[in-house]
């Protein structure tokens, strides 16, 4: 996109907060996402630092990771929340989300900051990605690695997340066809030295994801969770009590709800990105 080639964007804090709040809508629609956008944002940030991007680049990847799946708001519930593999037609539908995101954000003043991650996170180096074929920017390439690693290591009700070591091996197997080797190896190095451990399986730097005893580890405890609180699984009707256990919680079944609970946006992720907001960002794609 020509208009994204070079831009200096003033970051209005209120505008950024409203954009990030929009992005949390997807956490409130997708029952199984459980902190995915936060983890993609944080994996991307660590990788951006590791490869030596400047502060502007790191910020672009951090914000882009949180917003990258915003186009999923246009994907029907029966596809987005399907408990099983997608049919070819459903998959074709799902593949529209990067371009839907582009259309939603195209005229947004902060578009140059977030569109690379939004539009390019399913692109492939060999040109077989979508919607364009191959990524144009380093930001899109970093978000693609972060997104794929989190998708593979996250448990969904119909399939258990794989071991991080297996996901790392798959990233390598798909390099250089899918991913850029210049960025995969630094990501592997980060993982090998344990620098991603505080993100893996977490919904926040302090919050470890909890296991729903019925359907899998996809409950993100609220930021202010404490012993005695009751939390609901977003995908089954289980309601559970929390008992503090070190820096996490033990979870025990309390009751079955009559209807599925209302999903909540992840306000904590918005706050964490706002805390590193810059005044001005130079985008060079
Ligand atoms: Fe996506």
């Amino acid at each position: 996109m020509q208009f994204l080639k070079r831009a200096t964007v003033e970051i209005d804090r209120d505008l950024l907060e409203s954009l990030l709040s929009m992005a949390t809508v997807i956490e409130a629609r997708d029952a199984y996402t459980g902190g995915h956008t936060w983890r993609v944002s944080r994996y991307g940030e660590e990788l951006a630092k590791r490869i030596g991007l400047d502060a502007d680049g790191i910020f672009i990847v951090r914000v882009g990771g949180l917003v990258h799946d915003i186009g999923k708001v246009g994907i029907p519930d029966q596809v987005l929340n399907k408990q099983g593999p997608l049919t070819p037609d459903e998959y074709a539908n799902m593949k529209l989300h990067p371009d839907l995101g582009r259309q939603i954000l195209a005229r947004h003043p902060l578009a140059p900051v977030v569109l690379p991650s939004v539009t390019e996170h399913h692109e492939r180096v060999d040109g077989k990605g979508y919607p364009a074929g191959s990524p144009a920017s380093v930001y899109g390439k970093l978000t693609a690695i972060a997104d794929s690693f989190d998708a593979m290591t996250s448990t969904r009700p119909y399939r258990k997340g794989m071991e991080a070591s297996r996901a790392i091996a798959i990233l390598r197997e798909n390099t250089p066809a899918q991913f850029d080797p210049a960025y995969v190896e630094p990501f592997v190095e980060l993982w090998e030295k344990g620098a991603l451990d505080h993100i893996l399986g977490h919904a926040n730097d302090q919050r470890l994801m909890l296991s729903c005893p019925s359907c899998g580890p996809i409950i993100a405890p609220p930021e202010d969770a404490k012993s005695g609180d009751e939390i609901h699984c977003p995908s089954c009707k289980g309601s559970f009590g929390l008992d503090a256990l070190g820096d996490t919680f033990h979870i025990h079944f309390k009751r079955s709800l009559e209807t599925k609970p209302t999903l909540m946006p992840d306000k904590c992720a918005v706050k964490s990105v706002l805390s590193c907001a810059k005044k001005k960002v130079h985008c060079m794609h």
Side-chain angles (χ1 to χ4, degrees):
M1 275 162 283
Q2 199 56 40
F3 76 98
L4 287 181
K5 287 293 180 220
R6 196 176 271 266
T8 299
V9 182
E10 303 276 348
I11 306 291
D12 177 297
R13 202 182 158 84
D14 292 340
L15 203 54
L16 177 63
E17 184 163 2
S18 76
L19 173 62
L20 297 175
S21 299
M22 262 166 70
T24 66
V25 168
I26 195 59
E27 294 272 348
R29 271 216 52 224
D30 182 349
Y32 313 133
T33 195
H36 169 69
T37 53
W38 175 80
R39 287 189 298 279
V40 172
S41 166
R42 289 287 289 110
Y43 286 136
E45 179 187 21
E46 294 298 326
L47 182 54
K49 287 178 180 167
R50 180 74 183 81
I51 64 165
L53 288 194
D54 64 11
D56 288 5
I58 295 166
F59 180 71
I60 289 169
V61 174
R62 181 91 204 260
V63 180
L66 209 65
V67 181
H68 77 282
D69 266 343
I70 196 166
K72 283 187 178 173
V73 296
I75 304 300
D77 275 343
Q78 64 268 30
V79 176
L80 192 63
N81 286 321
K82 185 175 180 187
Q83 296 203 18
L86 300 179
T87 65
D89 273 1
E90 289 167 341
Y91 184 54
N93 198 308
M94 182 66 105
K95 282 168 74 174
L96 296 174
H97 76 271
D99 196 60
L100 278 170
R102 180 189 63 77
Q103 293 182 51
I104 290 166
L105 295 171
R107 298 182 67 80
H108 194 284
L110 301 182
V113 177
V114 293
L115 279 189
S117 295
V118 170
T119 61
E120 297 173 26
H121 69 276
H122 290 293
E123 301 291 14
R124 294 171 53 105
V125 174
D126 63 7
K128 294 179 181 166
Y130 58 89
S134 50
S137 73
V138 59
Y139 315 120
K141 289 176 179 176
L142 301 190
T143 305
I145 293 168
D147 184 34
S148 296
F149 183 71
D150 190 62
M152 288 189 280
T153 52
S154 297
T155 294
R156 296 225 149 193
Y158 57 89
R159 62 137 176 87
K160 196 171 163 13
M162 62 178 69
E163 290 293 322
S165 56
R166 177 79 192 114
I168 289 285
I170 291 174
L171 283 182
R172 277 182 153 156
E173 282 164 21
N174 289 283
T175 303
Q178 185 173 356
F179 306 109
D180 191 325
Y183 308 133
V184 166
E185 280 314 306
F187 190 78
V188 172
E189 285 162 23
L190 283 171
W191 177 72
E192 283 173 343
K193 66 178 194 180
L196 307 178
D197 292 356
H198 60 300
I199 305 171
L200 185 70
H202 285 63
N204 176 292
D205 275 304
Q206 286 81 38
R207 290 181 303 160
L208 202 60
M209 301 287 283
L210 298 176
S211 293
C212 170
S214 312
C215 70
I218 52 169
I219 306 179
E223 182 185 16
D224 54 357
K226 55 185 186 314
S227 267
D229 285 356
E230 188 170 334
I231 59 170
H232 311 305
C233 174
S235 51
C236 66
K237 293 177 184 168
S239 188
F240 306 91
L242 292 178
D243 303 305
L245 189 70
D247 59 358
T248 183
F249 294 94
H250 171 70
I251 186 169
H252 63 271
F253 180 78
K254 283 192 91 158
R255 62 198 173 105
S256 250
L257 303 173
E258 282 182 15
T259 54
K260 281 191 179 179
T262 303
L263 302 175
M264 302 303 283
D266 191 355
K267 288 175 274 181
C268 199
V270 173
K271 263 198 276 174
S272 73
V273 173
L274 277 177
S275 68
C276 63
K278 299 173 60 60
K279 287 198 163 59
K280 210 178 258 189
V281 170
H282 304 284
C283 306
M284 283 183 286
H285 308 156

